[in-house]
Amino acid sequence: MLKLTGEIRTKLVLEMTTKRKSTGESPGGPPKKPNTAGHWSGGLVAAMEDPKLVVSSDDLVTVIRDAYPKAKYHYLVLPKENISSIKSATQDHLDLLKHMDKVGRELMTSEDTFKIGYHAEPSMQRLHLHVISDDMNSPCVKTKKHWNSFNTEFFIDSKVIIEQLERKGKIKLPSKDKCKEYMERPLKCHKCDYIPKHMPDLKIHILKHVTS
Ligand code: AMP
Ligand code: ZN
């Protein structure tokens, strides 16, 4: 088990305090300031051209590193086609979604466990598939919203989306009210039954589950 020194504990609490004081942050973590695409929510389209973030690309998709990673590994797979979000994906996009899933799975390392899927209500424009290791151990995880967006039904597995399109011809996303409920759900460790008092407590607790 990992022992925490007073210094690490203080750093974690300080990180949380600084976050609470800051204003103007978009849901994903970055400051809400315009980018080359004109609005913070267009930042992923600009990031697809940023050599510091691009990991790979082919005819159909670009893979970038998430600029505010919520875990040890956090990638986004984005189509080159201008599809605004999972909400506008249709059966016509089935082959593309399967390709994104395949490219996403190729990013997974064998030593880590990964999740691959979509946020029910994305904050950033351009369809994007999250490929994220399940440690959630990152300074960018600061709020309950950050936590719950990856650890409740707000996060929808890529295979579920593909199956819905194959079987029913359309994607059924949770309602606005359901999404709100997921975001407001009390914090809980994603690996055991631990119920933390608050985010700093949870951030300290999850270090128990980090193996290396
Ligand atoms: P979502 O809530 O599904 O829209 O997630 C958007 C993701 O994009 C979050 O994980 C953010 O950390 C990430 N993100 C936000 N801005 C940028 C950016 N400019 N470049 C790369 N990733 C970003
Ligand atoms: Zn736990």
Side-chain angles (χ1 to χ4, degrees):
M1 192 177 112
L2 243 161
K3 274 210 176 129
L4 284 169
T5 63
E7 200 184 326
I8 295 175
R9 211 172 267 270
T10 311
K11 188 172 175 291
L12 283 167
V13 173
L14 265 176
E15 240 171 40
M16 302 307 303
T17 318
T18 316
K19 163 69 191 75
R20 265 187 244 114
K21 279 181 189 158
S22 75
T23 52
E25 199 184 51
S26 77
K32 275 186 176 173
K33 58 180 178 204
N35 50 57
T36 48
H39 185 264
W40 63 265
S41 67
L44 295 185
V45 177
M48 288 170 77
E49 304 292 331
D50 183 346
K52 290 196 288 299
L53 292 177
V54 173
V55 173
S56 65
S57 104
D58 64 19
D59 290 352
L60 298 173
V61 299
T62 300
V63 177
I64 62 167
R65 249 179 278 282
D66 194 294
Y68 308 91
K70 307 298 185 294
K72 180 177 164 195
Y73 298 106
H74 189 179
Y75 305 101
L76 303 173
V77 184
L78 304 110
K80 291 190 171 166
E81 187 182 337
N82 184 8
I83 303 164
S84 64
S85 83
I86 191 66
K87 294 180 184 190
S88 47
T90 68
Q91 215 167 13
D92 292 345
H93 302 117
L94 187 53
D95 285 344
L96 175 64
L97 294 178
K98 283 183 180 173
H99 181 68
M100 288 167 67
D101 181 272
K102 181 173 164 284
V103 169
R105 281 170 205 285
E106 284 166 7
L107 295 160
M108 299 175 179
T109 54
S110 53
E111 309 86 59
D112 299 87
T113 314
F114 279 78
K115 289 157 78 113
I116 175 165
Y118 300 88
H119 280 155
E121 272 181 353
S123 55
M124 303 293 285
Q125 280 169 33
R126 181 61 61 95
L127 175 66
H128 52 278
L129 173 65
H130 290 267
V131 181
I132 181 166
S133 54
D134 81 345
D135 51 272
M136 294 299 291
N137 182 26
S138 160
C140 295
V141 178
K142 294 177 176 177
T143 64
K144 186 196 247 191
K145 196 165 178 180
H146 289 158
W147 185 267
N148 283 346
S149 70
F150 288 98
N151 294 295
T152 65
E153 298 93 309
F154 190 87
F155 189 85
I156 306 169
D157 195 289
S158 166
K159 283 274 183 258
V160 170
I161 296 286
I162 290 169
E163 261 174 44
Q164 284 183 359
L165 279 176
E166 277 178 336
R167 293 203 188 145
K168 303 197 172 126
K170 59 179 179 185
I171 298 168
K172 186 168 175 359
L173 297 171
S175 67
K176 243 186 159 23
D177 284 351
K178 274 272 170 221
C179 287
K180 191 164 179 284
E181 189 190 313
Y182 299 146
M183 284 303 167
E184 288 170 2
R185 196 174 277 177
L187 289 170
K188 184 193 163 298
C189 175
H190 59 325
K191 299 234 174 177
C192 75
D193 291 336
Y194 185 72
I195 310 284
K197 291 187 202 72
H198 37 54
M199 273 309 286
D201 183 15
L202 179 55
K203 287 175 72 75
I204 290 166
H205 168 82
I206 59 168
L207 297 177
K208 282 185 181 181
H209 299 295
V210 176
T211 46
S212 57

